Amino acid sequence: SPATHVEADVDSSLSVSDTCLTAREIEVLIYLQAGCSNEVIAAKMCFSVATVKYHLGHIFKKLSVKNRTQAVVAARQAGFI
């Protein structure tokens, strides 16, 4: 699926600002920000839990983070959410 590039008004030295996240990855991040579990995200997005974990893996790699909290912080700083 085509990636959605979200322009971010942040320090240009942050590599995250040049990152492309898909619309689904951004939707997963919105649910992460709300504190939803993988199971809740899966139910809300009509995905399997494995698909949520797949998207999380891509999000973590793209944002160069290691966990959910870091992903939300990085996504906020970059203006994705």
Side-chain angles (χ1 to χ4, degrees):
S1 64
T4 302
H5 185 77
V6 178
E7 292 296 325
D9 184 24
V10 294
D11 186 330
S12 61
S13 67
L14 293 176
S15 61
V16 171
S17 67
D18 295 323
T19 299
C20 290
L21 294 177
T22 67
R24 291 189 189 240
E25 289 167 347
I26 291 170
E27 189 175 356
V28 169
L29 280 165
I30 290 167
Y31 287 124
L32 278 186
Q33 178 178 243
C36 296
S37 67
N38 289 351
E39 292 76 11
V40 170
I41 296 170
K44 289 181 178 285
M45 296 182 72
C46 299
F47 289 162
S48 70
V49 173
T51 301
V52 173
K53 289 179 181 179
Y54 171 84
H55 286 301
L56 288 173
H58 281 260
I59 291 166
F60 292 177
K61 183 175 179 182
K62 288 179 179 183
L63 297 180
S64 300
V65 299
K66 296 180 181 179
N67 62 50
R68 299 160 76 92
T69 302
Q70 290 175 350
V72 169
V73 170
R76 283 182 185 157
Q77 289 175 342
F80 292 116
I81 56 173

